[in-house]
Amino acid sequence: MVELYILFGFMIISALVAIELDDLVSSVIAVSAVGLGLSMAFIVLKAPDVAFTQLVVELLCLIILIRSTIKRDLPFSTSGRWYINTSIAVFFMVAFGASIFKVLQELPEFGSPIMRVSQTYLNEGFIQTGATNIVSAILLNYRAYDRLGEATVLIIALVGVVSLLRQKGRKGKDETVQEKMD
């Protein structure tokens, strides 16, 4: 439980740093650190599928936000702040690598069961669902809402990416839109 308190503290500090920073790129990176901390909290809580979904959405949002702010705000390339930005990035990469190393060490040996729920699925799956394929029975009967939620999150993220990255329909400040008459 101590790991969760450390992660929650990290997320709160990262959120406060994101609010207080002046340049947009550093704020976006600090916000993505909050999402990374949330993903690691899901791993600690033994929810790797939710952690994976959070990480995918977080990376997509990071790419979109950096792409949209990089043209407006580039203080590290014109000033001496790139030493600070580089050291912060290296710190986060080392912290992420250390946490991944710790998580990988705590995984059980390959083939050993983590929980007894899987044995219940195997013993009672055919009786409760009537499906001959136990994998399909688990995915469609026991975990259907979970998969629907994950698919919804990923589709919404995809629609957001496509709508932000599309080029058609954008105009400059001095351009006017001419409507076609059929």
Side-chain angles (χ1 to χ4, degrees):
M1 216 41 156
V2 174
E3 296 94 3
L4 281 178
Y5 292 130
I6 292 171
L7 286 171
F8 291 152
F10 170 74
M11 291 180 345
I12 290 170
I13 290 170
S14 298
L16 292 174
V17 166
I19 292 170
E20 294 297 323
L21 286 174
D22 291 331
D23 56 336
L24 293 174
V25 175
S26 298
S27 293
V28 167
I29 292 171
V31 167
S32 69
V34 175
L36 179 65
L38 182 62
S39 180
M40 288 190 291
F42 286 138
I43 289 174
V44 170
L45 292 172
K46 307 289 188 218
D49 52 343
V50 180
F52 176 72
T53 304
Q54 169 66 27
L55 193 61
V56 167
V57 171
E58 189 63 39
L59 288 174
L60 288 174
C61 291
L62 177 67
I63 291 168
I64 291 168
L65 288 173
I66 285 188
R67 184 177 184 266
S68 65
T69 60
I70 199 81
K71 293 178 184 175
R72 294 188 181 123
D73 190 26
L74 261 179
F76 58 90
S77 66
T78 59
S79 67
R81 289 209 43 202
W82 67 275
Y83 288 116
I84 296 170
N85 290 341
T86 304
S87 61
I88 289 172
V90 167
F91 170 74
F92 280 119
M93 288 183 351
V94 168
F96 181 70
S99 63
I100 290 295
F101 183 72
K102 183 179 183 298
V103 167
L104 289 177
Q105 281 184 334
E106 291 184 10
L107 284 176
E109 189 175 318
F110 183 75
S112 63
I114 297 174
M115 295 183 284
R116 288 178 248 191
V117 175
S118 59
Q119 193 61 39
T120 305
Y121 288 158
L122 292 174
N123 293 340
E124 300 175 11
F126 179 73
I127 298 167
Q128 290 179 355
T129 64
T132 56
N133 186 348
I134 193 66
V135 175
S136 297
I138 291 170
L139 289 178
L140 296 176
N141 292 316
Y142 296 118
R143 306 227 23 229
Y145 290 122
D146 182 35
R147 294 291 174 199
L148 178 66
E150 289 175 11
T152 303
V153 166
L154 291 175
I155 288 172
I156 289 172
L158 180 67
V159 168
V161 168
V162 169
S163 67
L164 286 174
L165 295 180
R166 68 182 174 92
Q167 295 295 322
K168 186 178 181 181
R170 295 190 181 194
K171 61 180 179 82
K173 284 184 176 181
D174 299 330
E175 293 178 315
T176 59
V177 177
Q178 296 177 1
E179 295 184 18
K180 295 181 181 178
M181 301 297 277
D182 290 335

